[in-house]
Amino acid sequence: EQIESLLIGQLPPADSDADYRIMRAKIYANLSERGCAENSAKYVEMAKQELEIARALTDDEFSNNDTIEVVETYKRLNMQAAAQEILDTAKKLTDPAIDFILELEKIINQ
């Protein structure tokens, strides 16, 4: 309960900025792992919603750092298909850096 209270206190405002949504998703993912077990599914769902909003706000065109954070968060939520979808989108971008693509694939396959 103390961990949940501390992490919820760290939630950034839910405004229209995709970066805030990604940060919120990461905190909810952390809550799903470290919070009360009976609330885990609720926090997974909240993290998923935050990531969906962030994706909608950016049309899935994240910066490299944001892409890594989104893929890592999906991975923590055991949502490999969604992480793979982000990787596939990154591959479609014009002239993506191969090192970046390899880094994303490494995260998904770990």
Side-chain angles (χ1 to χ4, degrees):
E1 289 177 8
Q2 290 176 336
I3 291 171
E4 285 186 17
S5 296
L6 291 171
L7 287 172
I8 289 174
Q10 296 297 314
L11 283 172
D15 62 8
S16 62
D17 186 272
D19 289 331
Y20 284 131
R21 295 297 183 160
I22 294 168
M23 287 190 305
R24 290 173 64 87
K26 289 172 61 176
I27 290 171
Y28 285 132
N30 200 358
L31 281 166
S32 74
E33 295 168 344
R34 297 179 179 203
C36 296
E38 61 268 9
N39 294 332
S40 181
K42 175 182 83 170
Y43 291 129
V44 167
E45 195 58 36
M46 293 171 85
K48 180 181 170 185
Q49 289 175 357
E50 292 293 340
L51 291 174
E52 288 172 358
I53 292 169
R55 291 178 68 182
L57 289 170
T58 61
D59 290 328
D60 284 341
E61 293 187 22
F62 295 110
S63 69
N64 286 1
N65 289 336
D66 286 346
T67 302
I68 290 169
E69 288 184 9
V70 169
V71 168
E72 286 177 340
T73 304
Y74 274 132
K75 180 75 173 184
R76 287 175 65 194
L77 298 171
N78 294 317
M79 299 177 68
Q80 281 75 2
Q84 185 65 46
E85 187 178 326
I86 296 294
L87 173 61
D88 294 342
T89 301
K91 285 180 179 179
K92 291 177 187 175
L93 295 176
T94 56
D95 195 27
I98 191 68
D99 292 338
F100 177 66
I101 298 298
L102 292 173
E103 184 177 349
L104 290 178
E105 285 180 335
K106 181 180 173 185
I107 292 169
I108 291 171
N109 294 323
Q110 286 180 341

